[in-house]
């Protein structure tokens, strides 16, 4: 294709990333009959609110250019029983691919619906540049289009890269909000893993079919035969399609799904069961490959087979997610969504990536049970709601004892009267509420304005709004300690700027507040690390689905004080006429709060108290090597036969693998491990665990230690010498031993923040205006205060904690 034809749209200008399933640019056939200077670039037409596009791939021989047409369609309506211009279609689930979009396809230029019959007349003769415009796609998508094209019949597909005008932010916002309808109303979802190598793809799928027979699976594990087959599956699991965040929605909402890898096809239900069975035997498979002299299926910068953690492998997380999100009827209809949005974003979907950082939140909204509310209802913050109290109990408790008998007589006489009044008032409220509910049914439900998809929002706004929504729902600040927030792509950091509502100044979007926890702090450094060794320790607060069974309780369950500061709104009000124009222009659900805009300032106000200050700090635990300072801080000497409780309990964060109390045999296992320290006094947990003579119990103990200490530092803390402390202390307290984040430094302070189940490390800094503010360093473990032991030292605080210290986090 001549050089003057250039790629179209923002989709084609994204940063190239590696895709094992993509293909090299192919020959595009003989296009001599289409003069290059006459071929125009394709231009999208406007799309109405309740419409979407489907791509009709026109029949043609395998080596011919790809010709197609975009057809408008409206969503199926339950009330109407159908839709105008409805086209049956399959939805394509694929990974975008790498590099620039250099593969041309040709789209029919006339988008009006009346031209549907006329375009067939155009195609009956020569496919000329007068009727078609060029559109460029990446290699992986081009290969998929060729694979799914039929030689005899036209086929309809929905493909996001083509059916959505990616350069139109408003249209993209609207279509993303309807993604669940698009996939649930598709006849089937076709998963495209790439072209692959014909011999390898066929052999891999045949092996997956074979292990669906449980007897065959057990025999293969028991006899350790054909180890190379397991390597084929591991290579399959490296396919980048398994790391896409959108695939969860695409699969769980599908009526049926098929997996395509080159020419090979497999039902998704069979494929998912085969992967699930494979993962149940992963430790046995790791042992087989350890004992077999085979070339590693992983590259040199990836971990050994034994170090792969099953729970962060994208394929395994995908299979688990698709089976745990919904409660469905026998015919596959979704009856109930089971998980909240905080669980999906910060826990279940961390193993999956998205090329658009905002999709870290947007890709899961239609799957959560708590992301839709009525537009008229404004929820008060949960911690601001007054406690429900019985008026009679309040009166009885407030009177003095010698007046008790008088109060009792009066209450007995008035009880019937007041109870009747309350019942009548409640019945009136209930009737009014039912009337409003009937009116609300005629309205539509929309997402909370803080979560509603809007690609004009800054990444800071999206993350802060999501966190505020989650804090209100969970009544907890533990989300501060879960590393989930996406990184802004480096190619966009210098050019991605936003304007505040009350200022003409620009502000770089890359400046994320310290209290928005980056995914780089995740145990496996986020989705790109699923086949890399551990980078950081696990979060101490555990998963948000254990909200009512928290691992620790350092603040004794006090509800949070959390104020997410926002900039002053624009000093103008939209008239009704301007509002109508705004809705028509933006072409999506009218939500005034989202349209007017609300930009977070980047400050979060919390309350609590300072407990200790870091006095001594060890080197960071790198690659599993615990430095000798950790043992000396805890008071252990090499010649002792008894391990101090403070040492072995801190090494495992005083918990077992699932947040339960640690077994007592951990102490003896710790003593055995300490005998393996090197001449410098350091303990290499990886070497000890991988040694052939190491007992299995020691390996279990070391696995728990690694999940706690990896990347952290050991510290000794002392009472800070600050004035105005809201906490009474004795004249002397012994130093405390604990674990802090790798970024912690001496003089950082350890605090109890109300609403957070674990202590946190804060650092005092000077704000832009010279005021005192705090950076959030991270969560920490301090032996002896994890279950509320520090709270009795002060008077039990009551919300809004006016006597406690206020921390402005930046």
């Amino acid at each position: 294709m001549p050089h003057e034809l250039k790629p179209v749209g923002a989709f084609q200008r994204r940063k190239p990333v590696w895709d094992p399933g993509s293909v090299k640019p192919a020959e595009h056939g003989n296009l001599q009959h289409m003069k290059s200077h006459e071929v125009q670039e394709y231009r999208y037409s406007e799309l109405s609110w309740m419409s979407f596009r489907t791509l009709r791939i026109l029949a043609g021989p395998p080596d011919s250019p790809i010709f197609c047409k975009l057809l408008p369609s409206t969503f199926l309506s339950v009330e109407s029983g159908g839709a105008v211009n409805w086209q049956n279609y399959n939805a394509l689930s694929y990974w975008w691919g790498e590099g620039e979009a250099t593969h041309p396809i040709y789209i029919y230029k006339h988008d009006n619906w009346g031209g549907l019959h006329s375009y067939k007349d155009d195609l009956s003769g020569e496919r000329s540049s007068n009727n078609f415009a060029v559109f460029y796609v990446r290699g992986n998508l081009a290969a998929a289009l060729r694979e799914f094209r039929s030689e005899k019949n036209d086929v309809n597909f929905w493909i996001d890269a083509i059916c959505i005008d990616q350069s139109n932010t408003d249209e993209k916002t609207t279509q993303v909000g309807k993604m669940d309808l698009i996939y649930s109303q598709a006849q089937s979802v076709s998963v495209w893993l790439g072209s692959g190598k014909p011999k390898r793809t066929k052999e891999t799928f045949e092996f997956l079919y074979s292990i669906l027979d449980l007897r065959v699976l057990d025999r293969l594990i028991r006899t350790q035969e054909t180890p190379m087959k397991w390597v084929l599956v591991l290579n399959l699991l490296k396919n980048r399609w398994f790391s896409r965040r959108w695939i969860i929605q695409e699969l769980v909402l599908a009526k049926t799904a098929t997996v395509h890898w080159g020419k090979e096809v497999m039902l998704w239900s069979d494929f998912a069961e085969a992967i699930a069975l494979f993962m149940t035997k992963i430790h046995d498979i790791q042992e087989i490959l350890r004992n077999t002299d085979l070339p590693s299926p992983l590259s040199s910068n990836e971990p050994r087979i034994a170090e792969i953690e099953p729970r962060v492998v994208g394929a395994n997380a995908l299979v688990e997610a698709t089976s745990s999100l919904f409660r469905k009827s026998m015919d596959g209809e979704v009856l109930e969504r089971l998980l909240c949005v905080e669980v999906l974003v910060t826990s279940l979907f961390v193993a999956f990536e998205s090329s658009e950082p905002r999709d870290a939140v947007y890709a899961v909204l239609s799957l959560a049970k708590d992301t839709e509310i009525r537009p008229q209802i404004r929820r008060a913050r949960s911690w601001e709601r007054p406690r429900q109290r019985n008026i009679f109990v309040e009166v009885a408790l407030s009177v003095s004892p010698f007046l008790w008998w008088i109060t009792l007589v009066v209450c007995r006489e008035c009880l019937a009267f007041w109870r009747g009044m309350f019942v009548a008032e409640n019945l009136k409220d209930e009737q009014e509420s039912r009337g409003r509910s009937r009116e609300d049914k005629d309205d539509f439900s929309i997402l909370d304005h803080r979560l509603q998809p809007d690609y004009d929002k800054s990444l800071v706004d999206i993350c802060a709004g999501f966190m505020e929504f989650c804090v209100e729902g969970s009544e907890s600040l533990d989300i501060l300690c879960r590393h989930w927030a996406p990184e802004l792509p480096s190619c966009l950091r210098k050019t991605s700027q936003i304007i505040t509502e009350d200022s003409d100044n620009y502000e770089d979007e890359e400046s994320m507040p310290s209290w928005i926890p980056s995914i780089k702090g995740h145990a496996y450094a986020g989705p790109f690390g699923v086949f890399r060794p551990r980078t950081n320790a696990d979060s101490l607060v555990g998963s948000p689905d254990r909200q009512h069974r928290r691992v620790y309780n350092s603040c004794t369950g006090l509800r949070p004080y959390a104020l997410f500061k926002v900039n002053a709104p624009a000093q103008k009000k939209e008239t009704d006429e301007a509002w109508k124009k705004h809705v028509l222009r933006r072409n999506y659900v009218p939500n005034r709060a989202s349209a007017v805009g609300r930009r977070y300032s980047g400050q979060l106000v919390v309350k609590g108290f300072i407990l200790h200050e870091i006095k001594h700090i060890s080197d960071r635990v790198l690659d599993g090597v615990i430095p000798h300072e950790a043992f000396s801080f805890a008071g252990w000497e090499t010649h002792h036969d008894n391990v101090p409780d403070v040492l072995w309990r801190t090494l495992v964060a005083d918990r077992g693998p699932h947040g339960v109390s640690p077994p007592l045999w951990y102490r003896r296992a710790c003593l055995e491990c300490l005998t393996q320290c090197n001449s410098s006094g350091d303990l290499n947990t990886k070497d000890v665990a991988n040694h052939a003579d190491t007992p299995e119990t020691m390996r279990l103990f070391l696995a728990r230690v690694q999940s706690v200490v990896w990347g952290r530092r050991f510290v000794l803390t002392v009472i800070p010498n600050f004035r105005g402390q809201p906490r009474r202390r004795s004249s002397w307290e012994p130093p405390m031993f604990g674990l802090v984040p790798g970024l912690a430094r001496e003089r950082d302070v350890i605090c109890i923040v109300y609403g957070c189940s674990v202590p946190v490390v804060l650092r005092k800094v000077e704000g832009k205006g010279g005021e005192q503010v705090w950076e959030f360093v991270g969560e920490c473990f301090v032996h002896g205060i994890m279950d509320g032991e520090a709270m009795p030292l002060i008077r039990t605080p009551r919300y809004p904690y006016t006597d406690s210290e206020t921390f402005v986090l930046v």
Side-chain angles (χ1 to χ4, degrees), residues 62 116 148 222 251 430 454 490 571 589-590 600 620 650 657 707:
L116 180 59
F148 290 112
R222 184 176 61 256
L251 288 173
E430 183 177 355
D454 185 352
S490 58
Q571 300 301 318
V589 173
Y600 291 85
R620 192 173 181 180
T650 300
S707 69

Side-chain angles (χ1 to χ4, degrees), residues 17-37:
V17 282
W18 174 77
D19 175 25
S22 62
V23 297
K24 295 180 179 180
E27 297 295 331
H28 305 308
N30 185 8
L31 303 180
Q32 293 179 357
H33 60 280
M34 296 184 67
K35 297 181 180 180
S36 61
H37 65 275

